[in-house]
């Protein structure tokens, strides 16, 4: 008689181990740092991260705010979801404190210049807006949903990622983390970015969403959209993304693997309208989500690392 553990039970046990690790990290930050904030994009990773943060402090409410850096080029479904997620509930009658840092306001204030990229993307402009918001809030720690499996620069990150007084990251000056011991000591003006999901994969994220029954913006599931292809990426027709000469608009079944500035975030062809269908697709995928759908990561092999050195998350 076989004594092997059934796969569904083994998968759940693995997720609970990852959950426990992330909750421990979040509590460590709350104990070591004075004023944390959680970066929230409305994407699947930040949704999971927010759920883990809530679990870390239950039954008390979340002891820190969440921060959304709004490019102004958002998917409407994501903004609608954001409003629902922070609204008061029976479990949390006061709701969640949301800070919105607007790239458009940064442009209007002369903090950054309007994008000159042909795509119209404001992705690079987020860095200044993020750094200004962290300084204005006097935040000394910022949680993010980045995972090491996403991209090579993120694979270099420690769980506690030290940033200097200018919010910049030096990959050669990271602190060791032996035996999962995290060093949160900083001087005035310095900060840490914290990545509790570092050891998770895209598949882990989706399995956890299924396990916890988490709501997502509907763009993560397949539906019919008007799209056109540009540089190998399917872009949705919108007020910010219009086809150029020679680009043909087609109505196709697509979904999104990641959330970002809609001017550079591509869709994937899919019929996955239910979470188990999405999990099956991800299990068979051979290209990372950012590699397949994010045009900004295709500009060079070091594109993400260069942005992170400047202060990008």
């Amino acid at each position: 008689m076989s004594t092997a553990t059934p796969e569904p039970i083994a998968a759940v046990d693995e997720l609970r181990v990852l959950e426990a690790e992330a909750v421990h990290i979040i509590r460590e930050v709350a104990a070591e740092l004075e004023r944390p904030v959680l970066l929230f994009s409305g994407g699947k990773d930040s949704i999971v991260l927010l759920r883990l943060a809530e679990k870390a402090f239950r039954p008390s409410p979340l002891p820190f705010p969440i921060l959304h850096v709004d490019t102004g080029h958002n998917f409407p479904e994501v903004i609608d979801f954001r409003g629902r997620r922070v609204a008061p509930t029976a479990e949390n009658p006061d709701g969640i404190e949301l800070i919105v840092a607007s790239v458009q306001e940064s442009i209007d204030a002369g903090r950054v210049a309007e994008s000159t990229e042909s795509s119209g993307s404001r992705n690079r402009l987020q860095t200044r807006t993020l750094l200004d918001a962290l300084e204005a809030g006097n935040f000394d720690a910022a949680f993010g949903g980045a995972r090491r499996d996403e991209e090579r620069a993120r694979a270099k990150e420690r769980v506690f990622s030290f940033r200097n007084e200018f919010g910049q990251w030096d990959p050669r000056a990271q602190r060791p983390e032996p035996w999962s011991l995290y060093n949160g000591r900083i001087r005035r003006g310095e900060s840490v970015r914290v990545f509790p999901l570092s050891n998770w994969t895209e598949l882990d994220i989706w399995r956890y969403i299924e396990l916890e029954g988490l709501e997502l913006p509907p763009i993560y599931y397949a539906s019919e959209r008007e799209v056109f292809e540009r540089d190998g990426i399917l872009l949705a027709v919108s007020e910010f993304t219009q086809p150029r000469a020679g680009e043909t608009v087609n109505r196709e079944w697509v979904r999104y693997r990641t959330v970002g500035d809609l001017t550079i975030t591509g869709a994937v062809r899919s019929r996955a309208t239910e979470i188990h269908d999405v999990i099956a697709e991800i299990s068979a995928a051979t290209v990372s989500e950012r590699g397949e759908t994010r045009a900004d990561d295709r500009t060079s092999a070091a594109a993400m690392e260069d942005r992170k050195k400047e202060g990008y998350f």
Side-chain angles (χ1 to χ4, degrees), residues 89-123:
T89 63
E91 182 180 288
N92 186 7
D94 294 325
I96 298 171
E97 181 184 355
L98 169 67
I99 300 169
V100 178
S102 167
V103 170
Q104 184 60 55
E105 289 181 6
S106 296
I107 294 170
D108 295 342
R111 295 292 290 164
V112 294
E114 181 62 272
S115 174
T116 58
E117 296 184 31
S118 59
S119 65
S121 170
R122 290 179 170 181
N123 228 30

Side-chain angles (χ1 to χ4, degrees), residues 289-309:
E289 61 203 277
R290 295 190 70 94
E292 184 175 22
T293 66
R294 294 294 288 271
D296 53 333
D297 287 339
R298 297 184 175 190
T299 55
S300 75
M304 174 64 78
E305 184 162 330
D306 290 342
R307 292 202 302 276
K308 287 174 69 65
K309 289 177 180 177

Side-chain angles (χ1 to χ4, degrees), residues 150-163:
E150 287 183 89
E151 196 273 339
R152 67 183 67 185
R154 286 180 167 168
K156 295 180 181 180
E157 288 275 20
R158 299 288 194 267
V159 174
F160 275 40
S161 179
F162 172 77
R163 302 299 175 104

Side-chain angles (χ1 to χ4, degrees), residues 143-210:
F143 294 104
R147 310 184 320 268
R148 290 189 178 120
D149 77 323
E150 287 183 89
E151 196 273 339
R152 67 183 67 185
R154 286 180 167 168
K156 295 180 181 180
E157 288 275 20
R158 299 288 194 267
V159 174
F160 275 40
S161 179
F162 172 77
R163 302 299 175 104
N164 66 19
E165 62 271 27
F166 304 107
Q168 296 172 331
W169 175 66
D170 183 353
R172 299 168 299 178
Q174 297 196 82
R175 298 169 175 178
E177 295 176 340
W179 306 295
S180 298
L181 297 175
Y182 307 111
N183 182 356
R185 294 182 180 178
I186 56 173
R187 294 175 293 189
R188 181 177 297 276
E190 297 173 341
S191 63
V192 289
R193 310 284 174 87
V194 184
F195 304 107
L197 304 181
S198 289
N199 295 326
W200 296 53
T201 66
E202 184 184 9
L203 187 58
D204 292 330
I205 293 293
W206 276 102
R207 284 176 169 164
Y208 191 78
I209 289 166
E210 181 182 42

Side-chain angles (χ1 to χ4, degrees), residues 7-29:
E7 179 58 30
I9 296 176
V12 169
D13 287 346
E14 181 180 335
L15 290 174
R16 292 308 184 197
V17 169
L18 290 169
E19 176 188 70
E21 177 189 51
V23 166
H24 166 68
I25 292 166
I26 293 167
R27 288 172 176 165
E28 280 290 298
V29 172

